[in-house]
Amino acid sequence: MFERSGLSLVETEQQKRNIISSVVFSVFAEVFSKNIGEFTENTRLAEDLNADALDLMDLIFVFSEKGYTIPEEKIEEFLTLGDFISFLCLQ
């Protein structure tokens, strides 16, 4: 297996996903004024958070402040927080 700095590629990808998950949950906690522990990858934007277009714009702005770019046309495709995490892991 490919190793980098003593860690396998799978381990580093999992670490990256864990870090991005923390960022995503933190952003959602900020935008929706909720406790970070209330979110999972399965949290749904529409059904669980009642997210509207303004909320999506707020999310784009806050992610941008943290150095992540999410195009407006892409964010409209996301259904769950897991969708955000998966997208950001590819950047």
Side-chain angles (χ1 to χ4, degrees):
M1 176 174 268
F2 177 75
E3 300 260 341
R4 180 174 46 168
S5 302
L7 295 173
S8 72
L9 185 58
V10 171
E11 289 170 322
T12 57
E13 289 300 316
Q14 186 58 50
Q15 288 173 339
K16 179 180 180 180
R17 188 169 184 87
N18 290 343
I19 291 166
I20 290 174
S21 294
S22 294
V23 171
V24 169
F25 296 156
S26 173
V27 167
F28 273 81
E30 179 181 335
V31 171
F32 290 94
S33 301
K34 293 186 177 276
N35 184 310
I36 198 167
E38 296 181 48
F39 300 105
T40 70
E41 288 195 29
N42 296 321
T43 301
R44 299 168 299 177
L45 296 174
E47 295 86 349
D48 299 328
L49 299 174
N50 296 316
D52 60 20
L54 183 57
D55 293 323
L56 296 180
M57 293 297 99
D58 286 345
L59 289 166
I60 289 172
F61 178 75
V62 176
F63 276 112
S64 175
E65 287 183 326
K66 297 192 181 298
Y68 295 96
T69 302
I70 303 176
E72 185 176 340
E73 63 276 2
K74 190 69 178 170
I75 201 170
E76 294 171 359
E77 299 173 10
F78 299 160
L79 302 177
T80 67
L81 272 63
D83 294 333
F84 280 85
I85 294 165
S86 295
F87 176 80
L88 294 174
C89 281
L90 297 175
Q91 288 191 348

